[in-house]
């Protein structure tokens, strides 16, 4: 067993290359097993919002009506299952307030930074003008403590999105929130909707994100611990013995993550005190799922129900029925659920490759009874799985004939915690240059043993070469898989392109794509 900084009691799984974050008591109590933290019942209380998200007005202007919000980034105390932690939030709550805007409107957000550190906001998935993209030192200087920054851009496309900080490892605090863009004309018929933000949580419970990053990186250089021979990534010699690249078929693997968190939450609530939503028998419910986690792929299922996935990353897909859904970091999926099975049902978000989960609870009108305080794996989780590579666009696109095509090799590994694109670790990495208007094909080749949800800023892309390749902004690339990503470089500027695993991004798996 390894022990790190006193504030971060963690240990390594030398045999499997797994880095586990745990609380001290659990560490001592369960030694080598990985049982979840025992629930300690106490009411879940949201922190007093110190502010202040005001949909202040919707006025007219040449660029379309303006929807205006003020968001205060502020330290606040929040409570998880009886543990109070001081963390970074938007408006004093976790997740941050939901922003809503209509397609074609202009979103204007005044960010007030009351944090002790610089920060920014990135509008994940929205093709904003480059200067509004919120990537520090790339599209703007980070906003210093005590200062404000005005984000303003037209929102051209409907769907389920989210906003989050793009500074350091701040994302692994509470600086995330849903951003819902309503369509001018809704073609989906449903009775009500619920937004569910999935997250993994360690801040204040197992140290801080910065400490975890230091431990991950330090573990590699120390030469002891996260070991030798334990699932080295693609930068290590001996990769020649790995099986060859495979195509896009087959069920996705359940890979143990490089971080196992002490808590997983849905809408800021751990499973002992789940977020509840009400359903009415006969209704068609729309669930908007956002994976805002830093390092966790979730498998989601609603006990007692099947569902139909209708959108991926906010874009319509050919409806896909299933029992369970795999959702990577940065991805969003919209589901329709027919409420035909009255009762009280857990919606389980299982942290892939672990024995832990978060849950929310669907309570039918009139159903009374206790919410289960522990989660058992619902059988739906082993049922028919919907995942990114099964998605097809609702309407076929024109054939994509690339002007430029290039491999993008994802490399790196746990041994020396460095993650690369084409062998280079950002910021020591060259920009990828494309000309405005070019049709670009990236062949993402994952030469590592971990999945990487790759996200391109400022553009949508199509995944796969078929005419019904779905439109996405994030694509989960599994170990030893190749995925094709086609996009048109139509938004000029310097765009981040990175793995949405925060600790991979921070340790190199990012590039700037320059569209000039
Ligand atoms: Cu949601 Cu650069 O990311
Ligand atoms: Cu990654």
């Amino acid at each position: 067993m390894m022990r790190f900084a006193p504030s971060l009691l963690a240990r390594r799984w030398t045999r499997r290359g797994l880095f586990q974050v745990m609380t001290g008591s659990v560490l001592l109590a369960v030694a080598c097993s990985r049982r979840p933290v025992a629930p300690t019942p106490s009411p879940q209380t949201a922190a007093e919002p110190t502010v202040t998200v005001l949909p202040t007005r919707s006025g007219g202007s040449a660029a379309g009506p303006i929807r205006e919000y003020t968001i205060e980034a502020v330290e606040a105390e929040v409570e998880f299952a009886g543990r109070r932690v001081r963390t970074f939030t938007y408006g004093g709550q976790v997740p941050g307030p939901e922003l809503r805007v209509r397609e074609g409107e202009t979103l204007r957000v005044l960010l007030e930074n009351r944090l002790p550190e610089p920060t920014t906001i990135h509008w994940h998935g929205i093709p904003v003008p480059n200067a509004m993209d919120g990537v520090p030192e790339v599209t703007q200087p980070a906003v210093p403590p005590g200062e404000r920054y005005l984000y303003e851009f037209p929102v051209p496309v409907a769907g389920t999105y989210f906003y989050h900080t793009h500074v350091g490892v701040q994302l692994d605090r509470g600086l995330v929130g849903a951003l819902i863009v309503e369509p001018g004309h809704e073609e989906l018929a449903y009775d009500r909707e619920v937004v569910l933000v999935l997250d993994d949580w360690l801040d204040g419970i197992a140290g801080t994100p910065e400490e975890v990053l230091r431990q991950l990186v330090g573990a590699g250089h120390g030469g002891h611990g996260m070991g030798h021979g334990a699932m080295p990534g693609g930068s290590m010699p001996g990769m020649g013995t790995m099986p060859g690249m495979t195509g896009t078929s087959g069920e996705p693997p359940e890979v143990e993550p490089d971080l196992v968190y002490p808590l997983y939450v849905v809408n800021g609530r751990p499973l002992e005190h789940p977020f509840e939503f009400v359903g009415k028998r006969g209704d068609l419910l729309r669930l908007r799922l956002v994976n805002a986690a830093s390092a966790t792929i979730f498998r989601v299922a609603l006990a007692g129900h099947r569902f139909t996935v209708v959108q991926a990353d906010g874009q319509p897909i050919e409806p896909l029925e299933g029992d369970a859904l795999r959702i990577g970091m940065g991805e969003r999926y919209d589901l329709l659920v027919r409420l035909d099975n009255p009762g009280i049902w857990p919606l389980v978000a299982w942290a892939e490759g672990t024995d832990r989960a978060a849950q929310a609870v669907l309570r039918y009108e009139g159903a009374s009874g206790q919410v289960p305080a522990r989660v058992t794996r619902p059988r739906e989780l082993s049922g028919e799985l919907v995942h990114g590579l099964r998605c097809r666009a609702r309407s076929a696109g024109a054939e994509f004939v690339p002007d430029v095509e290039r491999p993008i090799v994802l490399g790196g590994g746990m041994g020396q915690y460095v993650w690369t694109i084409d062998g280079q670790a950002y910021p020591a990495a060259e920009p990828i240059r494309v000309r405005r208007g070019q049709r670009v094909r990236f062949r993402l080749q994952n030469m590592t043993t971990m999945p990487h949800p790759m996200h391109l800023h400022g553009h949508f892309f199509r995944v796969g070469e078929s005419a019904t390749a779905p439109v996405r902004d994030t694509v989960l690339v599994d170990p030893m898989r190749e995925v094709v990503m086609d996009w048109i470089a139509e938004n000029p500027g310097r765009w981040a392109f990175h793995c949405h695993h925060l600790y991979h991004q921070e340790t190199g798996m990012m590039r700037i794509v320059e569209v000039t």
Side-chain angles (χ1 to χ4, degrees), residues 258 329 410-411 417 419 446 448 450-454 477 498-505 509:
D258 39 14
M329 299 80 92
L410 308 175
Y417 204 83
W419 299 91
N446 183 352
T448 79
M450 304 297 283
H452 302 289
M454 298 303 295
V477 190
H498 62 87
C499 177
H500 222 282
H501 184 305
L502 180 65
Y503 297 90
H504 296 179
Q505 175 189 347
M509 196 173 273

Side-chain angles (χ1 to χ4, degrees), residues 25 48 80 289 385 451:
S25 57
E48 250 339 278
F80 299 102
L289 296 182
L385 180 69

Side-chain angles (χ1 to χ4, degrees), residues 312-344:
D313 293 351
Q315 304 310 302
I317 59 166
E318 196 52 41
L320 269 176
E321 275 187 41
D323 300 294
L325 170 76
R326 184 183 196 224
I327 180 168
M329 299 80 92
E331 293 186 313
R332 289 91 57 218
Y333 285 97
D334 285 50
L335 280 51
L336 296 181
V337 186
R338 176 63 69 190
L339 299 182
D340 54 5
N341 195 0
I344 300 169

Side-chain angles (χ1 to χ4, degrees), residues 349-368:
W350 207 272
E352 186 175 281
T354 78
D355 56 6
R356 298 181 182 201
Q359 69 170 335
V361 169
L362 163 63
R363 183 188 289 271
Y364 277 70
E365 277 180 15
S368 59

